[in-house]
Amino acid sequence: MLTSYVVDVIRYGASSSQNSAAMAAVVYCGPDPSVGQLFRKFGKKDSLTRMKAYEELRSRVEDSDETDSNGLASILEPFAAHYRRSALLDPDWRCRAAMHSIVGLLVSRLKRDAMRYIPDILPSLYLAALYDTHYEVCRSASAALAMIFPHQNKRKMAIYDKFRDPVRKEICWLLSSECTMQELDEIFGCSGGASKADASDESEGRYDRAVCAALTAVPKFAMMPNTNTADPAIVSMDFIHFALPPYRSSVRTAALARCLLPLFSEGILRSKVEHEVDLEKILALLTATQGDLTVGAATAQFIQVLAEDSDLCDKLGSSRKLRQTLCKTVASGSKIIKSIPTIMRGIARNGEEVVLKYSVEELMPSILRALGAPQPAPPPRAVYQIFAECLGVISTDTKFSQYKNEIIDLFAELARHFINS
């Protein structure tokens, strides 16, 4: 039987030489030549041209006779290949949203006849529903998932059980060392046509979307379905390298913190995370939160969990650099400040002379310095509340008794700030 499309590259992870012709990867060979023209427009560099082609294809699908399953299948078959390559990687959010809408409409129309395309479609659709840099794309992908699997239980079963392998494979590849900005550019088919600055921004945005979506999915795939066993593919991943250069960025660091938090706090892969989050990675996480509200909120939660149930306070005692970085981060107005009361309680439990002295003489004053930090920074009321909570910890624990005079000075400093404000 003559296939209705030709595909040069339809999967992630192919070699660069294979990807060199990616811009013309999908060719429609079905019965309607006008649909073939639309598919050719999908490969154009101009996003407006692509968007108009998607809108026209959507209109055709909506207006098609639902009994014409052969006609719809002739569209879905090549579109599924195009979708897999482009749904996460197209730089224009309108195009990404349109692709999700079209694929949901096609599969819902074809119903059972479309099931053989789900392994190609579901990974990108699921990841886009979890994370995208534009809310409308997430909403479009979520709506498409609901169209394909109207019942929530069946939707979960499809994603996490029946079609788990292709989704997990996509996650693992996106977080592997094989997935690079250049590789994703070649898969999407980027070659010239834009200024170097624009091309660089698009490339980084493409990589951010793909990696952050995969990191967001990691906690949901950490356990095997219907068991208490950790997924070996997830256990073996080294996703924490996104806290370090050259992989680190503010967007990726925030996604990493959101990924680590449930893995650690819910006891999933706790020993792995404790082992892998070494001193340099904690420093990288802290540094990335300085002056970044989004990263700070996610990372502050993770640092708080580390302080509650790990050797973070031991690391504070042994590393002057970590102590200085923590103070600098707090003073910068980072949301990491919310985790300081928990760190103070950890220091009190630790009882080491170095960290006790550090907490009173350096860490506490750094909290008040956050009042002068540029926006976005916690409001003064929040800073005062955190400072007072920390004062409560150190003034009631006998391990801090030798610093009685310093603690009195801290109370006086807090009162002075209240009066002046």
Side-chain angles (χ1 to χ4, degrees), residues 51 54 79 93-103 140:
M51 187 62 209
Y54 289 133
F79 190 79
W93 71 266
R94 296 168 301 174
C95 293
R96 298 196 301 274
M99 279 187 275
H100 300 318
S101 178
I102 291 169
V103 82
S140 177

Side-chain angles (χ1 to χ4, degrees), residues 131 175 208-219 239 242-243 249-263 285 294-296 298-299 302:
Y131 177 89
L175 298 179
D208 278 344
R209 278 194 307 278
V211 168
C212 291
L215 284 170
T216 305
V218 164
F239 43 79
F242 290 105
S249 74
S250 60
V251 176
R252 279 166 244 151
T253 303
L256 174 63
R258 291 193 298 269
C259 166
L260 293 178
L261 182 62
L263 291 181
L285 286 169
T294 304
V295 177
T299 309
F302 178 60

